[in-house]
Amino acid sequence: MTPVTTALAAVLLAAAAVFAVLWLVERSRRRRAQEAREEREWDRIDRELEVAEQAGRFRIIGELGDVAVASVARVVSQAEGMRYAAGSDPEAATRSAAALETTARDALADLRRLQNAAAEGVRDAAPVPSLHSAGDLFRVMREAGLEVTFTETGERYELRQGAELAVFRILQTSLGNALDHGGRGTRASVAFAWTADGLHVTVEDDGIRAAARRAGLDREGVDKATVYSAEDDLRAVTEFVEGPDLNALRDRVALYGGVLDARSVPGVGFSLSVVFPALRHHNGVHGVPLR
C-alpha cells in the first residue's frame, strides 16, 4: 500500500468517524425533540381534561343554583301567606310557622350544597330535569340507536329536586357514554332498586359485543382466549376508571352521600353502579350545621 493510499484511507476513516459522531448527536437531538413534543402533548391532554372537569363542575353549580332559587322562592311565598293569616287567624299563622321553618331549612341546605360545590359556572337555561324526564331520555336514546331496557323494584317515593337531578344525570351520562363508545345497536339495561331510605341505580351496556356484532362476529361463539386475556380481567377489577364525565358524576353523587363504582366488563361492555344509602331524607349537606 502506497503512502498516498494509506493517507487516503486514514482520511476516509476519520471522515467516517466524524459522520458517525454527527449522526449520533443528531439522533440524540431528534430523540430529545420527540420526547419534548410528547411531553407537551400529554400536558395539553391533561389541560383539556382539567377544563372538561371544571366545565362539568360549573354545570352542577348552575343547576344547584336553580334549585336553591326555587327553594328560597317557596320560603318567600309561605312567609307572605303567614303574614296575611296573622291578621285574621293567629292560630293558623302559628301552625304555618312550623311548615315555614321546615321549608327554610330545606332552602338553607340547598344554598349550603351550592356553596360546597362552588368551593372546589356554564349554565343551561332549560328547565331542571327530574325522574319524570327519564322516559323522554330513554326515547331519545332509542331513537339514536341505543336499545334501552328499564326495570324497577321496591316502592318509589318522592325525592328532593336536587336528588332527582343527580339520578337523572347518572342516566344521561352513562347512556350517552354507552352510545358514544358502543355505537348503534348497543344494549343498555337500567335498573332502580328502591329501599326504605335509599336507592341503587345500575346501568350496564354491551358496547364491546355490539362492536363485534357490527363486524359480523358472534361474540358468544368465539373462544374466550381470542377475545380477552386474564390481564384484561385483572385490569377490569383493579383499575380505577375515571374521566371528565365520570369525575363530574362522582362529585354530584357524593353531594347526596352516594358511592359510584364504574368498571369495564372484559368482552362485554361497561357497568356503572351507584348506591345512595339515605337518599329519601338526605339534604345534600355533609357535616355542615344548618343552625
Side-chain angles (χ1 to χ4, degrees), residues 16-290:
V18 170
F19 282 127
V21 171
L22 292 176
W23 178 79
L24 290 174
V25 171
E26 178 62 15
R27 189 180 70 167
S28 177
R29 185 192 67 80
R30 291 186 177 184
R31 183 185 297 114
R32 290 195 300 270
Q34 177 64 25
E35 291 173 351
R37 284 195 297 270
E38 291 176 353
E39 185 174 353
R40 288 194 298 271
E41 181 64 13
W42 280 114
D43 288 341
R44 182 187 64 80
I45 293 174
D46 289 340
R47 299 293 81 76
E48 288 180 354
L49 289 175
E50 289 176 3
V51 169
E53 290 177 1
Q54 289 298 328
R57 181 171 288 110
F58 291 156
R59 186 181 185 186
I60 294 174
I61 292 171
E63 291 170 341
L64 290 176
D66 293 338
V67 173
V69 169
S71 298
V72 174
R74 287 195 298 272
V75 172
V76 173
S77 178
Q78 289 185 355
E80 290 177 346
M82 253 184 68
R83 179 165 59 85
Y84 288 120
S88 58
D89 189 350
E91 292 183 2
T94 301
R95 290 192 299 270
S96 299
L100 176 61
E101 181 181 3
T102 300
T103 304
R105 290 187 182 279
D106 289 344
L108 180 58
D110 289 334
L111 290 171
R112 291 286 175 83
R113 182 166 61 253
L114 173 62
Q115 185 181 48
N116 289 347
E120 291 200 41
V122 184
R123 298 183 50 177
D124 294 329
V128 177
S130 65
L131 288 186
H132 297 293
S133 309
D136 293 333
L137 174 64
F138 295 159
R139 175 180 54 78
V140 170
M141 288 297 175
R142 290 182 183 120
E143 292 175 352
L146 195 67
E147 299 179 15
V148 183
T149 59
F150 174 67
T151 58
E152 188 171 21
T153 59
E155 184 177 351
R156 180 184 291 203
Y157 40 78
E158 292 295 322
L159 298 175
R160 299 175 187 270
Q161 187 177 17
E164 287 201 15
L165 176 61
V167 175
F168 179 86
R169 291 304 184 200
I170 291 170
L171 301 180
Q172 184 183 46
T173 301
S174 55
L175 292 178
N177 286 340
L179 184 60
D180 290 342
H181 296 290
R184 295 181 63 87
T186 297
R187 298 164 185 164
S189 60
V190 179
F192 284 3
W194 299 85
T195 64
D197 297 309
L199 173 63
H200 183 195
V201 180
T202 57
V203 182
E204 299 177 336
D205 70 69
D206 69 343
I208 297 176
R209 284 182 175 171
R213 289 194 295 269
R214 287 195 302 275
L217 300 175
D218 181 4
R219 179 66 64 173
E220 297 177 354
V222 178
D223 181 66
K224 179 179 178 182
T226 67
V227 178
Y228 59 91
S229 63
E231 288 76 11
D232 294 319
D233 286 330
L234 180 62
R235 186 164 52 251
V237 173
T238 59
E239 273 192 351
F240 181 78
V241 182
E242 59 181 345
D245 290 342
L246 280 177
N247 290 342
L249 269 191
R250 284 190 174 94
D251 290 341
R252 190 187 295 274
V253 166
L255 291 173
Y256 286 90
V259 178
L260 183 150
D261 178 64
R263 63 185 63 253
S264 60
V265 182
V268 180
F270 197 79
S271 174
L272 183 140
S273 172
V274 181
V275 178
F276 295 99
L279 191 62
R280 185 171 193 168
H281 305 291
H282 204 291
N283 61 15
V285 180
H286 300 276
V288 179
L290 299 182

